[in-house]
Each structure stands twice: as structure tokens, then as C-alpha cells.
């Protein structure tokens, strides 16, 4: 796995929008356009949804006209980039957010929605010991890995196609999906999905719970098989990290987002003005 140095920005299409609402609009338009193109050429569109708060407005737009009518829902397969090991009704669940804002409002066939279900409590959702929680999380990751395997060939194969579009967020510590600094999962080359224990301090966003949590995540190796990857970052709090990932040279163990550079696909960064504030001038949209 190669982490890009200063070259990452030159491999990325960076678009800067004046505010979060316009960023959501630009992202919804891109998703709808890519969905239509994929369905026209390949008969289906495979999409991985990010968690966190930033994509919420994009999802809401996809559920409303004109985008809801533009999306070829019958042929869209929805996956997730990562999920907390909580129940699907838990307020911290990425699945719940996407269902509440988007999926419950559009005519997508239920069997085309593929949540990462990874509750690690006992059968009654109660406490289990650490070893039991770890086993349960990896069982869930194995199941998701297998599911992805039924759609996409093995990551090790040179021509293995991946998802059509992966939407990602960026944490202020450089994490993306549930690929956190220092995690062993960063080095994973063979799996498509893996489990990771994320400590409370590292998790970010309004859905972080203040406790260590097992999570399931797509691996960087699998994300990099995608035809298109779109990072979404907004707000001044992200500005330093956006600059470090796109223009800095720190090593990848510290900044997992730098591991994301699709092998044969496109890498886009959609930023609002505040998140892009520290980038050097001279990019599209600035
Ligand atoms: C999550 C995602 C995480 C997220 C970033 C950014 O479920 O939280 O795993 O990678 O995309 O933490 O989150 P915000 O969009 O909330 O800033």
C-alpha cells in the first residue's frame, strides 16, 4: 500500500464550493450523473455511503426532486463504507442515518440495500466480554467481506473491479471510513472489509458515543478498486487536515486518508470554502 506524498493533490480533482449547501448540491448531482452512466453502460450502480454528519444533506437531496427522479433506483446497490457495532436503530448507526434521510424515501428494492450489521452484544444486545466482542465483530466483517466478494472479485487480482462510487468523510485526525491512525487494518491487502476497535477519543462527529466501539470498515485496498472516490469535507475544523492530506508529506500511518487513491479510478475532493481555506491557491474552483 503506497501512501502518497505531496503528489496526492495532483492526483485529485479538488472542487471548492462556497458553502455546505452548494457542496451537497454538487455532490448529489455527481452521484446522480455517475449512477445514470453506470446503469446505462453496466446495468447497475454500486455505491458505498459514508457515515458521519457531513453527507447528510447530500443524502437528503437525493431523496427529493429533481435528484430522486434522476436516480435509477431499481438498479442501485447500496453498501456502507463503515459502521459502528450498534443496532440499526441506534442513533450512532450509519445505516439508520441513511435510512432516515434517504433510503426510506426512495423506491430502491430492499434487497439492493446491504447494511453492515454488526451488533456485538449478546443475543439480547447485552454485554459480552472483550474476546466475545472481538469475535463477533470479525464474524460480521467476514460476512460483509463475503457479501462484497459475491459482487466483486478478489482485491489481489490486478483487474478486480470495485465499487462504482465510494463516498468518504474525513476525521480531524486523518481517519476516513473506520480506518484510524495506527490501526492494523490500514495494512490489510486481501480483505474487502475488516473489523477495528476504535477508542472513544479517536472517533469523531456528532454520532461518536464517548466509548470504545468495534466497527466494521471497508479496507483501503478495496476502496482503491473503486471507479470513483469522493471525499466530502466541510467546515473550518477540517481545514488543517485537508491541507495535511492533500499537500502534506506525513506518513500514512498517521493519516489514513492518504492511503486512498484509486488505482484505476478518479479521486475527487468536494470541500466547502472553510475546509479549503488553508490549501495553496491554484486549484479548480478557487
Ligand atoms: C463515521 C465515519 C467517519 C466520518 C468522519 C467524518 O461513521 O463517522 O466513519 O469516517 O466520515 O469521521 O465525520 P463527520 O462528517 O461527522 O465530520
Amino acid at each position: 500500500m503506497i501512501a502518497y506524498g505531496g503528489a496526492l493533490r495532483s492526483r485529485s480533482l479538488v472542487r471548492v464550493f462556497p458553502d455546505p449547501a452548494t457542496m451537497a448540491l454538487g455532490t448529489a448531482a455527481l452521484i446522480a450523473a455517475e449512477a445514470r452512466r453506470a446503469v446505462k453502460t453496466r446495468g447497475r450502480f454500486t455505491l458505498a455511503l459514508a457515515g458521519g454528519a457531513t453527507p447528510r444533506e447530500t443524502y437528503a437531496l437525493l431523496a427529493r426532486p429533481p435528484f430522486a427522479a434522476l436516480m435509477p433506483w431499481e438498479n442501485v446497490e447500496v453498501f456502507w463504507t463503515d459502521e459502528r457495532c450498534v443496532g440499526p436503530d441506534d442513533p450512532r448507526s450509519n445505516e439508520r442515518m441513511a435510512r432516515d434521510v434517504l433510503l426510506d424515501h426512495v423506491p430502491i428494492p430492499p434487497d439492493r440495500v446491504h447494511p453492515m450489521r454488526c451488533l456485538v452484544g449478546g443475543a439480547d444486545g447485552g454485554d459480552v466480554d472483550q474476546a466475545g466482542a472481538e469475535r463477533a465483530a470479525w464474524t460480521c466483517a467476514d460476512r460483509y467481506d463475503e457479501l462484497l466478494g459475491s459482487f466483486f472479485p478478489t482485491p489481489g487480482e490486478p483487474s478486480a473491479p470495485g465499487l462504482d462510487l465510494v463516498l468518504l468523510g474525513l476525521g480531524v485526525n486523518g481517519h476516513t471510513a473506520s480506518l484510524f491512525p495506527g490501526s492494523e487494518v490500514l495494512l490489510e491487502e486481501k480483505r474487502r472489509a475488516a473489523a477495528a476497535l476504535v477508542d472513544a477519543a479517536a472517533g469523531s462527529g456528532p454520532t461518536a458515543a464517548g466509548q470504545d466501539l468495534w466497527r466494521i470498515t471497508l479496507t483501503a485496498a478495496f476502496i482503491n478498486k473503486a471507479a470513483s472516490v469522493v471525499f466530502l469535507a466541510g467546515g473550518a475544523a477540517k481545514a488543517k487536515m485537508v491541507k495535511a492530506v492533500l499537500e502534506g508529506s506525513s506518513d500514512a500511518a498517521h493519516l489514513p486518508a492518504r492511503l486512498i487513491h484509486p488505482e484505476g479510478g478518479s479521486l475527487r475532493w468536494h470541500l466547502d470554502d472553510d475546509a479549503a481555506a488553508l490549501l495553496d491557491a491554484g486549484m479548480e474552483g478557487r
Side-chain angles (χ1 to χ4, degrees):
M1 175 82 49
I2 300 164
Y4 272 85
L8 185 56
R9 178 166 158 192
S10 65
R11 289 179 46 114
S12 313
L13 249 162
V14 181
R15 288 190 68 189
V16 182
F17 298 89
D19 50 54
T22 323
M23 180 173 80
L25 206 60
T27 308
L30 176 75
I31 292 172
E34 299 241 336
R36 292 168 74 85
R37 188 169 34 240
V39 170
K40 205 167 161 195
T41 54
R42 292 188 296 283
R44 74 175 187 193
F45 176 60
T46 53
L47 168 69
L49 297 175
T54 313
R56 199 183 169 91
E57 187 51 34
T58 300
Y59 299 164
L61 285 171
L62 288 172
R64 298 200 294 262
F67 299 110
L70 288 169
M71 286 290 292
W73 292 114
E74 281 292 313
N75 297 300
V76 176
E77 304 277 353
V78 172
F79 302 85
W80 271 261
T81 58
D82 65 316
E83 184 60 279
R84 292 165 185 79
C85 289
V86 296
D89 295 326
D90 190 292
R92 295 166 292 175
S93 159
N94 288 341
E95 175 186 349
R96 178 178 166 169
M97 191 274 267
R99 285 194 189 276
D100 284 355
V101 179
L102 170 61
L103 300 170
D104 287 352
H105 310 282
V106 295
I108 185 166
D111 62 350
R112 294 192 186 266
V113 177
H114 310 287
M116 285 174 163
R117 290 275 169 89
C118 60
L119 187 59
V120 297
D124 57 355
D127 288 343
V128 289
D129 59 24
Q130 256 317 311
E134 179 168 0
R135 264 196 314 277
W138 277 103
T139 301
C140 302
D142 286 347
R143 222 171 26 230
Y144 211 73
D145 191 68
E146 246 170 65
L147 170 82
L148 290 167
S150 67
F151 283 86
F152 310 99
T154 310
E157 291 169 13
S159 61
L163 287 143
D164 289 312
L165 196 150
V166 178
L167 204 58
L168 289 170
L170 178 70
V172 290
N173 59 357
H175 81 260
T176 189
S178 286
L179 301 166
F180 281 81
S183 166
E184 280 174 24
V185 171
L186 301 182
L187 305 172
E188 179 57 59
E189 298 273 356
K190 298 236 154 49
R191 301 181 64 101
R192 305 165 192 86
L197 182 63
V198 176
D199 73 76
S204 71
T207 52
Q211 69 187 75
D212 294 0
L213 262 189
W214 278 96
R215 299 194 190 195
I216 309 299
T217 185
L218 299 185
T219 59
F222 181 63
I223 294 171
N224 283 337
K225 296 290 172 196
S228 173
V229 173
V230 184
F231 273 91
L232 265 188
K238 301 283 171 77
K240 259 171 90 170
M241 190 45 64
V242 164
K243 184 171 179 71
V245 172
L246 282 171
E247 296 179 348
S249 58
S250 330
D251 81 19
H254 294 110
L255 301 182
R258 291 171 69 87
L259 291 173
I260 307 302
H261 40 78
E263 290 155 20
S266 65
L267 175 59
R268 289 186 171 81
W269 281 74
H270 282 189
L271 307 171
D272 71 4
D273 230 8
D274 289 339
L278 300 178
L279 288 179
D280 295 339
M283 71 177 74
E284 187 198 338
R286 282 187 77 75

